[in-house]
Amino acid sequence: MTEVVVVTEYDVLAEVYEWLISDAKLPPAEFAASFDDVLSLLPSNAHVLDCSCGTGQLAVGLAGRGMQVVATDASEAMVRRTAELSEEFGASVRAVRANWEELPDHFEDDTFDMVFCVGNSLHHAAGATGRGAALESMSRLLRPGGRLVLTSRTWELVRARGSRLDIRDRLVRRNGRDAVVVYRWEIAPHWEEEHHIEIAIAQVDATGLVLVRSELLSCWPYRYEELEVELHRVGLRTEVSTFDLEAENYMVVASKV
């Protein structure tokens, strides 16, 4: 298998990641409920992998429904926070630090009924080669007929807007603290080149002091039609797609042939 170089680890942002999660998806049960349509396709006691688990809201929400859940992430800090959230909710989640290319080293082929790669994560795989290798790993772990659920930014829109500073227009309150979320986009001239997103979370405490935590993340964008070809190449057939050039994000559900 071709090695994927994962540059982004979110180790700084892991400590404040809840400021990046919408109010509607912050409770684990609500995060899982946002995927009700695809979850209805699963057998009882399904084996599910969340391979970009972040701080664990989805994984914990799925475990709360009685599923057998494994959560993986490239960031050790994210895996630790997922384990902490699992303990807080009394959920049975196996949390493992693993890059996408390492997944077959941890799990047997044809293990999972469903694999989630959500939260706009796939663009952190290094280019077409890295993305293809990541998707190959996910496909290998799915049983025949199993499904990959993937969400993505609409990169066609992101690139059209160019490099910019995006300051959110309202405070986000988490854990009794307010913060402003800022995204700084560095859009490279060509699609295949490395792009960057710097995410900053500026927390304001009761005394007015501001604490800023930021991380510069590498990403490699892709067109929707490229993703479709890459899914097909690793034996996945698209069943559902919400792709719309006018929408900020989309979801693809693809089954293993």
Side-chain angles (χ1 to χ4, degrees):
M1 177 183 290
T2 304
E3 182 181 0
V4 182
V5 179
V6 180
V7 176
T8 299
E9 292 201 350
Y10 284 84
D11 286 334
V12 174
L13 290 180
E15 302 308 319
V16 289
Y17 197 73
E18 54 265 48
W19 274 268
L20 301 178
I21 302 173
S22 69
D23 292 346
K25 291 185 177 181
L26 195 59
E30 296 303 315
F31 204 135
S34 69
F35 293 101
D36 272 346
D37 288 348
V38 293
L39 293 177
S40 67
L41 303 172
L42 286 172
S44 59
N45 201 32
H47 288 71
V48 178
L49 169 66
D50 180 357
C51 68
S52 52
C53 67
T55 49
Q57 276 73 18
L58 176 58
V60 171
L62 295 173
R65 294 184 171 210
M67 300 175 191
Q68 299 186 49
V69 181
V70 177
T72 65
D73 202 281
S75 166
E76 188 69 52
M78 289 293 200
V79 170
R80 173 180 53 77
R81 292 212 58 194
T82 294
E84 290 170 353
L85 189 71
S86 301
E87 184 176 356
E88 177 185 342
F89 279 83
S92 179
V93 175
R94 179 185 172 193
V96 178
R97 196 221 65 81
N99 295 331
W100 289 311
E101 77 274 14
E102 296 170 333
L103 291 174
D105 298 332
H106 292 274
F107 311 105
E108 297 290 332
D109 290 359
D110 306 334
T111 293
F112 296 101
D113 298 293
M114 189 166 283
V115 172
F116 285 87
C117 181
V118 299
N120 297 306
S121 300
L122 187 61
H123 62 254
H124 294 309
T129 300
R131 198 165 53 249
L135 292 171
E136 181 185 352
S137 288
M138 298 175 205
S139 180
R140 281 182 58 180
L141 299 189
L142 281 169
R143 65 167 179 79
R147 294 174 174 88
L148 170 65
V149 181
L150 184 149
T151 64
S152 175
R153 299 184 192 278
T154 304
W155 280 100
E156 291 85 348
L157 277 181
V158 175
R159 279 188 49 82
R161 292 168 180 160
S163 298
R164 66 194 185 278
L165 189 67
D166 178 10
I167 303 174
R168 296 301 166 88
D169 59 2
R170 58 174 295 178
L171 292 172
V172 179
R173 189 165 185 82
R174 297 285 184 267
N175 307 322
R177 301 190 73 174
D178 292 321
V180 176
V181 178
V182 179
Y183 288 77
R184 183 175 64 86
W185 302 83
E186 295 179 9
I187 305 300
H190 304 291
W191 275 90
E192 66 274 12
E193 295 177 327
E194 182 176 352
H195 294 44
H196 294 97
I197 311 170
E198 184 174 12
I199 304 176
I201 298 173
Q203 296 177 313
V204 185
D205 71 13
T207 68
L209 290 176
V210 178
L211 172 65
V212 179
R213 298 191 185 184
S214 68
E215 197 153 13
L216 184 65
L217 310 172
S218 295
C219 57
W220 289 263
Y222 47 86
R223 301 174 179 86
Y224 173 72
E225 58 262 31
E226 291 177 304
L227 177 62
E228 284 278 11
V229 170
E230 290 160 355
L231 289 168
H232 186 266
R233 189 175 293 141
V234 298
L236 297 171
R237 177 176 54 85
T238 300
E239 290 185 345
V240 176
S241 172
T242 64
F243 176 73
D244 181 344
L245 271 174
E246 304 292 323
E248 298 288 335
N249 301 277
Y250 61 90
M251 179 179 72
V252 173
V253 180
S255 60
K256 185 173 180 178
V257 178

